[in-house]
Amino acid sequence: MIQYFDPKKDKTRDLGTPEKKSEVQVSIQIDGVKVTVAQGTSVMRAAALVDINIPKLCASDNLEPFGSCRLCAVSIEGMRGMPASCTTPVREGMKVETQNNDLAKLRRNIMELYISDHPLDCLTCPANGDCELQDMAGTVGLREVRYGFDGENHLDAPTDDSNPYFSFDASKCIVCSRCVRACEEVQGTFALTVDGRGFDSKISAGQAEKFIDSDCVSCGACVQACPTSTLMEKSVIDQGQPDHSIVTTCAYCGVGCSFRADMKGDKVLRMVPDKNGQANQGHSCVKGRFAFGYATHQDRITSPMIRDSIDQPWQKVSWEEALAFAANRLKSIQLHHGRDSVGAITSSRCTNEETYLVQKLVRAAFGNNNVDTCARVCHSPTGYGLKATLNESAGTQTFDSVMAADVIFVIGANPTDAHPVFGSLLKKRLRQGAKLIVADPRSIDLVDGPHVKAQHHLKLRPGTNVALLNALAHVIVSEGLEDKDFIASRCDDKAFQQWHTHISDTRHAPENTADITGVDAQELRLAARLYATSGNGAIYYGLGVTEHSQGSSSVMAIANLAMVTGNIGREGVGVNPLRGQNNVQGSCDMGSFPHELPGYRHVSDNETRSLFEQEWQVTLDHEPGLRIPNMFESAIHGNFKGLYCQGEDIAQSDPNTQHVQKALTSMECIIVQDIFLNETAKYAHVFLPGSSFMEKNGTFTNAERRISRVRKLMPALADKEDWQVTISLAKALGYEMNYEHPSEIMDEIARLTPSFHGVSYDRLEELGSIQWPCNEKTPLGTPIMHTEDFVGKAGTFAITEYIATPEKVNKRFPLLLTTGRILSQYNVGAQTRRTDNQVWHGEDKFEIHPTDAQDRGINDGDWVGIASRAGTTALRAKISERMQPGVVYTTFHHPMSGANVVTTDNSDWATNCPEYKVTAVEATKVSEPSQWQADYQHFSNRQQRFLEQASKS
Ligand code: SF4
Ligand code: SF4
Ligand code: SF4
Ligand code: FES
């Protein structure tokens, strides 16, 4: 097993009750050993800290103590009876005894009662060897059960197998309530209850429902908490206990959860959220925890393939042949159409090292800067907007910082679906009393959920974020709520004065923007006051901010809000972009944009370029290259002919699908490197099999700028890891890259990038993870940015004039369509559609307000044709009060849905990030799929046949 963390900081040992923080320290004696701990600490935890392990069943250090099992009883001098050590806080001078005859007898009696109502099938139980009940029976020395097993018991209680990933065997339940508390305290879903009392008490999902029918979101926290095999992963029930474990990082969303992969040989049995994980602290969501089966799915392609045209079947070839074919085609294209006729797209799903190599390949081997990344279509406005205001293209905080926030402003983000582990942390803070403002066209779960309610839901019209943000700033400035000291000491005065004049204008007053945003002026004023006057104010935003024609303006307006209220540079505040994919931050950091080398340095900067030229031994182009939309345009005009696309599915994920299809069919050589024949690969001439995150070493950088190790769990199914494939392609093109291990790539990144100077694999092993900047000044990384000063120069207020999107509703297209994600699926769905997560979301639905549905004669479940200026598709209707009249919504996880057939070419003025969130559409009841869907089905089936023919050859 890899030693990945300082054992002194290792949190994997369960200390029984949560850590308490206090200035006051208390000293007590336990079995004659003196221990000093913070006031409020339990006797159980104090004992565990000096390696005295008191027996326990209902306690766990990620849950508040409950005191139900009584197994942890101790004797305390001067106290009557035998109090439970988990619920008894330390008191100065306390003398505790954890072992004596009376305690031993009591504990044996308790265990005897438990065991008399428990199946005696330890040898065949899936938890054998990993069961706390079994351990405790041994610990207390239970040798016999005097009551026999014939009395009233629960041994016939049924098993609920409805969840695809875990089973609930009620006959083994000891009603310790750890699962109930985990669901409440850790996950915040409140899906479980203890029904009944005394002997009749039992655990129940929802209203005595099956798990699958309840509110359970399958996060796995209850499974993790269960001390017996009552709640257990089906994979372990089927295949037995693991034989070793390796710690790695989730490859789904930008939270970047750390997991312990429990393995049996080369096979992953289960993913257990890592308590040492600094982003997730032992919690997970259904995707990272359970939806990993795609990595070994039968659809994986493990042989390189080539073909002359997309009208031909695939031909399986050796790696050498495929790479030579690809390189010759690219060289020939450049010979005939010029150096700039080829380019590449990097992936935010791949590692930093892989992404770095792809941009290096483009700049050094293709000889141009035609490299872009899928971050173009999600968070490129974040990079632009935060750089322009805060001088650094990244979020300012740790996730943990939210626990110090007094007011939380969530705009254009849906954390409980898209960033679920952070969503749970946020809900925890709300339950502790922090206030919440939500700005979203839709009523997301946070607006009104179990024990969570937004003080203000600003249900704005899609496309009006800038008007709303300006109005909030206007209230703050016009009511004198700004933080004058912060502005004077930290921000550029000239820029502030200009902005102040601009924002003070009454055109930004909420009364004057209400017609634009649809948000009541008084409600907005109250929200602005709440954000500005409640103490620590933290802003969290997502793609609902960036994916607009004014995405960059919105990001700058958010930064303005944070600066004008002084909410930057300490715990509990800040500007926090919630990045979509696992490595969006990293792919941007690694120089994936056509105008920037790694570390966000412009390609026209001579000093930076010469640094890279020296290291890479080539001359670099000083002109920015093509962005993805420019590549498509250029392809349609016959100038851009060759594309290397690693781990990205532009045919499904990019807007205006028909335009993308036209661009793809215009090219002569498309090289797709992926684990599946994704939608883009159906247009490809070369297929290079990719490796999943389980098959390689590397690093991901999450939304907190946290760099975490990805560790190889099993050999690459296609023999090569992704970084090795890029090296081979470079070599085939005549450019040598020499690395034996991804750590050497990271060493090069660190040499060339100031904010990464201190990063290395050794340092990552030592610290667990690192938040950049990490260099000579900040060798341990930087959890909170801008604590003393903004990097480089003063904070810069930006003028953010609201300009309405060109996408307008009219009689023909009277509804506004906005898009988003759902918890169980991930992005284009290529991974999650190949898992049992399908049971929760087997198709994308079209959400429509009851009034709009009624006007159109649409009933729940009807097929609805959705037409926009770009195209037409059809989806099944879901009538939903979450929507506001005039606004409709869908997810985009299934290719057949064609959500992007209707989205348009409109994009952010600064970065070309597509305006996915605003499309004018009309919806009508239909009886068959759209023409596009019929054509897609035909094309897709044909390509699938070509793949099957290759498999047989
Ligand atoms: S299911 Fe497990 S955690 Fe929940 S009460 Fe039963 S034994 Fe305890
Ligand atoms: S899996 Fe998560 S949401 Fe479902 S019951 Fe368990 S803790 Fe609650
Ligand atoms: S998908 Fe995101 S929240 Fe879920 S386990 Fe993975 S990193 Fe964590
Ligand atoms: S562990 Fe303390 S009462 Fe159960």
Side-chain angles (χ1 to χ4, degrees):
M1 188 163 163
I2 293 174
Q3 182 67 57
Y4 66 95
F5 209 72
D6 179 352
K8 286 192 208 107
K9 295 184 196 155
D10 193 344
K11 293 186 191 159
T12 46
R13 199 175 136 229
D14 189 342
L15 302 178
T17 63
E19 184 182 8
K20 297 288 170 194
K21 296 210 165 108
S22 170
E23 304 271 291
V24 184
Q25 296 290 301
V26 174
S27 293
I28 68 169
Q29 275 197 21
I30 305 176
D31 294 342
V33 180
K34 185 179 169 195
V35 50
T36 304
V37 290
Q39 193 173 48
T41 303
S42 70
V43 169
M44 174 181 278
R45 186 177 176 99
L49 287 169
V50 287
D51 289 331
I52 297 172
N53 294 316
I54 301 172
K56 62 182 172 56
L57 272 175
C58 69
S60 177
D61 63 6
N62 65 341
L63 304 172
E64 289 303 322
F66 190 58
S68 71
C69 76
R70 311 287 303 167
L71 202 63
C72 66
V74 289
S75 295
I76 299 177
E77 198 177 276
M79 274 178 87
R80 286 205 343 227
M82 292 181 262
S85 61
C86 64
T87 49
T88 306
V90 291
R91 247 188 308 108
E92 186 61 42
M94 213 178 221
K95 287 194 176 145
V96 180
E97 198 177 31
T98 71
Q99 306 287 347
N100 61 36
N101 287 341
D102 290 343
L103 289 170
K105 195 168 160 205
L106 174 71
R107 289 173 187 155
R108 269 199 301 275
N109 285 346
I110 292 169
M111 282 309 296
E112 200 175 359
L113 281 170
Y114 276 125
I115 299 299
S116 67
D117 190 8
H118 197 83
L120 287 186
D121 60 357
C122 282
L123 280 183
T124 52
C125 176
N128 190 12
D130 184 24
C131 171
E132 292 180 42
L133 189 70
Q134 195 180 42
D135 293 348
M136 286 306 127
T139 300
V140 305
L142 185 69
R143 296 286 171 264
E144 57 172 340
V145 176
R146 290 165 295 168
Y147 316 117
F149 300 93
D150 301 331
E152 211 183 343
N153 59 47
H154 299 89
L155 301 181
D156 290 333
T159 296
D160 175 357
D161 268 329
S162 61
N163 184 289
Y165 297 116
F166 61 82
S167 162
F168 174 73
D169 178 353
S171 71
K172 300 206 163 154
C173 181
I174 58 170
V175 202
C176 66
S177 159
R178 273 164 69 166
C179 53
V180 179
R181 286 176 286 145
C183 193
E184 293 176 3
E185 296 173 28
V186 180
Q187 165 57 23
T189 291
F190 295 78
L192 302 178
T193 46
V194 184
D195 269 356
R197 305 183 67 166
F199 178 82
D200 291 329
S201 56
K202 61 175 188 194
I203 300 301
S204 169
Q207 308 292 317
E209 294 158 297
K210 288 196 172 301
F211 269 79
I212 198 76
D213 301 323
S214 72
D215 289 338
C216 167
V217 293
S218 202
C219 70
C222 56
V223 181
Q224 195 55 23
C226 185
T228 66
S229 67
T230 311
L231 281 159
M232 186 146 223
E233 299 90 348
K234 288 182 177 172
S235 57
V236 177
I237 295 173
D238 291 345
Q239 296 162 59
Q241 292 290 326
D243 54 36
H244 70 287
S245 304
I246 299 172
V247 171
T248 190
T249 304
C250 178
Y252 280 119
C253 86
V255 177
C257 295
S258 178
F259 279 90
R260 189 189 79 210
D262 278 354
M263 312 278 303
K264 200 167 202 146
D266 282 347
K267 201 168 167 35
V268 178
L269 273 191
R270 66 177 163 197
M271 297 291 269
V272 180
D274 179 17
K275 276 176 86 181
N276 287 327
Q278 290 149 314
N280 58 320
Q281 297 172 8
H283 191 34
S284 61
C285 84
V286 60
K287 295 190 286 287
R289 176 77 157 96
F290 296 116
F292 54 84
Y294 72 87
T296 46
H297 193 274
Q298 59 187 20
D299 287 353
R300 281 288 301 268
I301 302 177
T302 54
S303 301
M305 304 188 297
I306 58 173
R307 59 182 174 176
D308 275 325
S309 103
I310 66 166
D311 294 319
Q312 292 175 354
W314 286 101
Q315 209 190 322
K316 281 186 185 176
V317 293
S318 66
W319 274 107
E320 291 68 28
E321 203 176 336
L323 291 161
F325 182 91
N328 288 339
R329 282 219 160 184
L330 291 174
K331 282 197 254 186
S332 162
I333 289 171
Q334 285 192 302
L335 192 68
H336 293 98
H337 301 279
R339 195 183 59 175
D340 295 336
S341 56
V342 299
I345 298 175
T346 71
S347 172
S348 297
R349 294 193 314 205
C350 289
T351 63
N352 285 316
E353 294 75 5
E354 286 157 357
T355 307
Y356 174 86
L357 286 194
V358 173
Q359 63 86 35
K360 177 174 177 176
L361 171 96
V362 171
R363 302 187 203 280
F366 291 3
N368 61 41
N369 287 313
N370 290 340
V371 60
D372 207 356
T373 173
C374 47
R376 167 74 54 216
V377 301
C378 67
H379 265 287
S380 48
T382 289
Y384 181 91
L386 295 187
K387 183 93 182 167
T389 47
L390 310 182
N391 309 329
E392 195 64 87
S393 301
T396 60
Q397 310 295 120
T398 59
F399 288 134
D400 231 12
S401 151
V402 77
M403 296 310 283
D406 299 306
V407 57
I408 299 162
F409 178 25
V410 177
I411 173 167
N414 186 2
T416 51
D417 274 273
H419 301 85
V421 164
F422 172 68
S424 290
L425 196 65
L426 190 156
K427 286 194 287 185
K428 187 174 193 172
R429 181 61 188 153
L430 295 176
R431 291 196 302 275
Q432 291 174 352
K435 303 284 185 283
L436 175 68
I437 303 163
V438 172
D440 201 291
R442 218 170 139 251
S443 298
I444 57 171
D445 284 349
L446 276 182
V447 170
D448 193 3
H451 302 269
V452 166
K453 192 164 171 56
Q455 272 62 39
H456 302 287
H457 177 202
L458 311 178
K459 206 166 185 175
L460 77 174
R461 283 198 194 103
T464 62
N465 286 333
V466 174
L468 179 123
L469 290 160
N470 282 348
L472 290 168
H474 176 89
V475 174
I476 290 165
V477 166
S478 62
E479 296 190 7
L481 305 177
E482 66 267 45
D483 184 335
K484 295 188 177 67
D485 289 345
F486 182 90
I487 297 163
S489 63
R490 301 286 301 275
C491 302
D492 181 87
D493 188 50
K494 192 171 162 211
F496 173 68
Q497 294 306 339
Q498 284 171 348
W499 177 80
H500 190 274
T501 306
H502 156 78
I503 210 72
S504 301
D505 192 286
T506 52
R507 71 180 183 280
H508 301 301
E511 292 71 19
N512 295 328
T513 55
D515 281 348
I516 300 169
T517 60
V519 174
D520 176 72
Q522 185 56 16
E523 178 100 33
L524 192 141
R525 279 193 182 274
L526 292 173
R529 288 173 199 149
L530 184 69
Y531 172 68
T533 62
S534 300
N536 286 340
I539 305 178
Y540 294 85
Y541 72 89
L543 304 181
V545 160
T546 55
E547 290 176 342
H548 286 274
S549 63
Q550 279 205 291
S552 292
S553 305
S554 298
V555 173
M556 292 191 287
I558 284 172
N560 290 342
L561 266 186
M563 287 191 290
V564 78
T565 52
N567 276 315
I568 292 278
R570 59 183 192 279
E571 286 272 337
V573 299
V575 175
N576 303 276
L578 294 172
R579 307 283 189 157
Q581 306 203 70
N582 51 326
N583 202 32
V584 176
Q585 182 68 55
S587 74
C588 299
D589 301 342
M590 292 299 107
S592 291
F593 289 129
H595 65 294
E596 279 172 343
L597 286 155
Y600 304 98
R601 287 162 295 168
H602 204 277
V603 290
S604 63
D605 180 61
N606 292 340
E607 205 178 313
T608 306
R609 238 184 21 264
S610 73
L611 192 71
F612 282 86
E613 285 176 342
Q614 256 176 18
E615 180 84 30
W616 295 352
Q617 294 293 298
V618 285
T619 303
L620 295 174
D621 190 354
H622 64 279
E623 291 282 349
L626 298 174
R627 295 172 173 183
I628 294 172
N630 307 129
M631 291 180 193
F632 293 158
E633 268 322 301
S634 184
I636 290 167
H637 288 110
N639 302 321
F640 188 80
K641 294 281 183 186
L643 180 68
Y644 171 37
C645 187
Q646 184 186 70
E648 173 56 4
D649 196 0
I650 46 179
Q652 191 184 337
S653 66
D654 283 40
N656 194 351
T657 305
Q658 293 175 93
H659 184 72
V660 177
Q661 288 168 333
K662 197 168 167 195
L664 293 176
T665 46
S666 304
M667 293 187 214
E668 289 174 9
C669 178
I670 296 178
I671 305 159
V672 166
Q673 185 174 339
D674 209 285
I675 58 177
F676 301 117
L677 191 85
N678 63 16
E679 299 309 308
T680 311
K682 292 172 184 167
Y683 295 88
H685 308 87
V686 182
F687 187 91
L688 304 174
S691 44
S692 77
F693 79 110
M694 295 184 182
E695 298 153 46
K696 57 197 178 190
N697 283 300
T699 56
F700 292 149
T701 306
N702 77 352
E704 314 162 284
R705 296 167 278 107
R706 185 183 299 286
I707 308 162
S708 301
R709 274 298 315 276
V710 176
R711 294 187 177 87
K712 187 168 177 167
L713 311 180
M714 58 181 72
L717 295 192
D719 294 336
K720 276 186 195 280
E721 299 171 37
D722 285 322
W723 58 278
Q724 292 170 317
V725 176
T726 307
I727 291 173
S728 303
L729 181 59
K731 191 171 179 172
L733 285 163
Y735 181 77
E736 288 286 339
M737 293 186 189
N738 296 305
Y739 309 96
E740 292 296 320
H741 190 272
S743 62
E744 295 170 15
I745 307 172
M746 180 53 84
D747 291 342
E748 182 173 312
I749 296 165
R751 272 199 302 280
L752 294 168
T753 314
S755 50
F756 277 67
H757 273 343
V759 180
S760 68
Y761 278 34
D762 284 347
R763 180 53 64 89
L764 283 165
E765 293 296 326
E766 191 188 322
L767 298 178
S769 64
I770 299 172
Q771 286 177 275
W772 68 257
C774 172
N775 48 32
E776 301 75 8
K777 277 198 222 150
T778 53
L780 301 179
T782 311
I784 309 274
M785 300 267 275
H786 318 302
T787 48
E788 304 293 324
D789 276 312
F790 289 104
V791 186
K793 57 178 183 154
T796 311
F797 281 85
I799 305 286
T800 54
E801 191 66 63
Y802 167 69
I803 298 167
T805 166
E807 183 69 5
K808 303 268 192 280
V809 289
N810 59 16
K811 270 194 181 158
R812 198 168 151 221
F813 303 114
L815 301 168
L816 280 181
L817 172 75
T818 187
T819 60
R821 296 177 186 200
I822 200 156
L823 171 68
S824 54
Q825 295 283 1
Y826 174 70
N827 210 27
V828 294
Q831 294 147 289
T832 42
R833 279 187 280 110
R834 290 179 171 93
T835 70
D836 286 333
N837 278 23
Q838 280 287 85
V839 301
W840 288 286
H841 189 79
E843 64 178 322
D844 295 314
K845 297 259 178 81
F846 179 69
E847 278 188 42
I848 183 165
H849 189 270
T851 311
D852 292 325
Q854 198 178 17
D855 288 351
R856 291 162 177 78
I858 294 168
N859 295 310
D860 206 63
D862 281 350
W863 282 99
V864 179
I866 305 138
S868 76
R869 294 179 178 95
T872 304
T873 192
L875 294 167
R876 277 207 291 177
K878 181 176 173 190
I879 296 176
S880 165
E881 295 271 4
R882 282 179 189 260
M883 306 312 301
Q884 51 180 293
V887 178
V888 289
Y889 171 86
T890 187
T891 49
F892 49 82
H893 303 299
H894 295 263
M896 184 62 178
S897 305
N900 281 323
V901 173
V902 289
T903 55
T904 68
D905 283 332
N906 293 334
S907 65
D908 174 43
W909 61 270
T911 64
N912 277 142
C913 182
E915 192 172 42
Y916 291 110
K917 303 294 181 188
V918 192
T919 308
V921 298
E922 177 55 299
T924 43
K925 203 166 157 172
V926 293
S927 54
E928 58 184 21
S930 72
Q931 187 59 49
W932 179 86
Q933 284 168 311
D935 294 346
Y936 163 78
Q937 195 66 67
H938 177 74
F939 173 75
S940 190
N941 290 346
R942 186 162 179 249
Q943 291 300 323
Q944 201 58 41
R945 277 199 303 279
F946 288 162
L947 178 65
E948 281 153 22
Q949 284 163 13
S951 305
K952 285 178 197 147
S953 70

